[in-house]
Amino acid sequence: MDLADIGVTGLATMGRNLARNLARHGYAVAVHNRSHSRTEALVKEFGGEGTFIPSEDLAAFVASLKRPRRAIIMVKAGAGTDAVIDQLADLMEPGDMIVDGGNAHFEDTRRREAALRERGLHFVGTGISGGEEGALNGPSIMPGGSKESWEALGPILQDISAKVDGVPCSVHVGPDGAGHFVKMVHNGIEYSDMQLIAESYDLLRQALGATPAELAEVFREWNRGELDSYLIEITAEVLDQVDSETGKAFVDVVVDQAEQKGTGRWTVQSALDLGVPVTGIAEATFARALSGHPEQRAAARSLAGPALSGVGGRELIEDVRQALYASKIVAYAQGFDQMAAASKEYGWDLDLGAMATIWRGGCIIRAKFLDRIRSAYDANPNLPTLLADPTFAGALEAAQESWRRVVTTAVQIGVPTPGFSSALAYYDGLRRDRLPAALVQGLRDFFGAHTYRRVDKEGTFHTDWSGDRAERPA
Ligand code: 6PG
């Protein structure tokens, strides 16, 4: 019997499309799903695309794989993943590889990798971005795990991934949970990108009284310049959509409560642990949370707002474009800071420029802009912040007047722009020569003897606030 080069278990949309992508690239693909009808449907509908080897149960699935075996799990992240991993591991032999292509939490991946390593198996937690279409036609693939597993899997993953200028959108990200961590931050940035786009739309609609269809044209125009990206492109599509039932703009018939499956929240939780201010991602996550409290929103509807509603003219459009670009630079800078901090904390040795490279195509945040990030890290791999790269510093300088006008306008007419405002506050915070953190330190020392350091000499000090107010070394 001919054996398969690789297998996919879990044949919902993403798994099915990934299996088809592999088959279309000439790999013999073992396929399995808990309910066999899905496997049968795949083979029946798409069997002509390549070689599929279907199995009804996991034992037959594993037996149909060439050694060392390569099995990709495409199930919804959670407890179910552990069950499938356990079953597969029991059927496998040392040197075999289990790949988890779901959106698992990176700590779960670290735990699973360590447990399987003990048994001589390779566990590869991999981020796969690009949705259904990407899985089929070329996603961005972010695998973690051992170097040996990358040697066996890398050529296949690079083969089926998206390519930009002939460069595959997949590299070995780093050991254990590194791949899922990077995918998590990708999703956090995705939240932030979408929030900034939503604020741009909201502000322009409120301030100028523009219609969704008119704004679709604005986004289409923006997509021809430095904002060129998948998310801006599909924003124009969504804003142009008309509801066939009511004839209204599609955005006006959708319930305005943004949901999430949790990767944005995880990004913020991890950033808090690492002490990295990812304000763009946090504001985007909280904005979704605020939208999801209809009872509070109803109770607050009658609260006072400004008298002013619409302001300004068409020049606001260019100002918003600049604010969007500047805030996007900040959000990415923060996300990359988080990856740098995690790399240090977990010993991953992440190549940040390579992360920008594999996000250039296939994934949801794909954008021209990522080329500039890659160039920034090429020029200086130890860049303390992306904001300090000369190209980005220049872009921020060019944008900052517009950015300030946009935040001012939003405040004046009462349109919430937490993404724009917090990004600007972060920018101004980082630029400051002296921060009021010195006063915070003083207060901490006053009420809790928490001590402070001085600008003019080494050491730690405490002032006797309740006594003679003299300073002593702590
Ligand atoms: C991708 C996406 C994807 C994610 C969705 C939903 O890279 O293809 O990030 O992995 O599941 O974007 O995320 P939320 O439901 O949390 O918005």
Side-chain angles (χ1 to χ4, degrees), residues 49-63:
E49 293 184 348
T51 308
F52 294 102
I53 303 179
S55 290
E56 272 198 58
D57 58 60
L58 272 180
F61 170 74
V62 169

Side-chain angles (χ1 to χ4, degrees), residues 14 74 77 100-106 109 125-131 139-144 173-174 176-191 261-267 281 335 338-339 342 348 350 355 358-359 362-365:
M14 287 292 284
M74 294 296 291
D100 175 12
N103 270 331
H105 193 286
F106 74 99
T109 303
T126 187
I128 301 180
S129 176
S140 172
I141 310 182
M142 300 153 241
V173 172
D176 57 81
H180 273 144
F181 187 90
V182 164
K183 175 58 173 38
M184 178 189 79
V185 174
H186 163 283
N187 281 25
I189 292 177
E190 173 186 303
Y191 278 44
K261 287 196 276 294
T263 42
R265 185 178 69 240
W266 291 349
T267 314
I281 300 170
Q338 184 172 1
M339 290 193 286
W348 285 335
L350 294 184
M355 298 310 109
I358 64 171
W359 288 350
C363 65
I364 305 297
I365 65 169

Side-chain angles (χ1 to χ4, degrees), residues 142-441:
M142 300 153 241
S146 65
K147 283 211 174 78
E148 297 92 295
S149 61
W150 170 250
E151 272 157 30
L153 281 161
I156 303 180
L157 299 182
Q158 292 194 325
D159 207 10
I160 63 160
S161 75
K163 317 276 180 306
V164 176
D165 306 329
V167 180
C169 294
S170 182
V171 289
H172 181 223
V173 172
D176 57 81
H180 273 144
F181 187 90
V182 164
K183 175 58 173 38
M184 178 189 79
V185 174
H186 163 283
N187 281 25
I189 292 177
E190 173 186 303
Y191 278 44
S192 165
D193 260 351
M194 288 195 284
Q195 174 65 21
L196 295 171
I197 287 172
E199 289 178 16
S200 303
Y201 147 78
D202 193 20
L203 183 58
L204 288 175
R205 191 167 181 186
Q206 299 312 314
L208 304 181
T211 65
E214 285 164 350
L215 292 173
E217 205 34 62
V218 168
F219 280 94
R220 211 161 273 135
E221 182 57 38
W222 288 357
N223 205 37
R224 294 187 193 110
E226 57 198 357
L227 285 171
D228 179 345
S229 62
Y230 172 67
L231 284 170
I232 296 278
E233 179 194 324
I234 64 168
T235 298
E237 303 279 321
V238 174
L239 289 178
D240 246 348
Q241 179 76 4
V242 174
D243 175 47
S244 58
E245 221 173 290
T246 57
K248 289 183 182 167
F250 167 81
V251 277
D252 289 337
V253 299
V254 174
V255 173
D256 59 345
Q257 296 172 29
E259 296 170 20
Q260 61 163 310
K261 287 196 276 294
T263 42
R265 185 178 69 240
W266 291 349
T267 314
V268 180
Q269 286 169 337
S270 143
L272 290 172
D273 290 339
L274 293 164
V276 181
V278 292
T279 54
I281 300 170
E283 290 295 355
T285 308
F286 287 135
R288 289 194 190 190
L290 185 149
S291 79
H293 284 284
E295 61 310 323
Q296 290 188 330
R297 291 172 60 192
R301 197 141 300 145
S302 56
L303 295 178
L308 217 53
S309 56
V311 284
R314 306 286 299 174
E315 63 282 0
L316 185 64
I317 296 176
E318 174 56 16
D319 276 350
V320 171
R321 189 188 71 81
Q322 296 276 5
L324 176 54
Y325 189 52
S327 304
K328 183 177 166 108
I329 295 173
V330 166
Y332 279 67
Q334 295 177 340
F336 275 76
D337 284 350
Q338 184 172 1
M339 290 193 286
S343 179
K344 232 177 169 174
E345 173 75 18
Y346 302 108
W348 285 335
D349 200 20
L350 294 184
D351 175 347
L352 298 180
M355 298 310 109
T357 305
I358 64 171
W359 288 350
R360 291 184 310 159
C363 65
I364 305 297
I365 65 169
R366 60 185 180 264
K368 264 237 174 73
F369 172 76
L370 284 150
D371 262 330
R372 272 161 244 149
I373 297 185
R374 191 192 49 170
S375 308
Y377 284 114
D378 280 351
N380 180 3
N382 299 316
L383 204 58
T385 163
L386 271 178
L387 306 193
D389 167 76
T391 309
F392 288 124
L396 291 164
E397 185 181 353
Q400 62 130 358
E401 292 295 338
S402 292
W403 199 3
R404 293 181 196 286
R405 273 196 297 271
V406 164
V407 172
T408 307
T409 302
V411 169
Q412 278 174 338
I413 66 172
V415 171
T417 52
F420 288 157
S421 320
S422 71
L424 183 56
Y426 177 86
Y427 172 76
D428 283 334
L430 269 196
R431 304 189 298 111
R432 276 306 282 284
D433 186 24
R434 293 272 304 155
L435 285 168
L439 176 58
V440 173
Q441 284 295 80

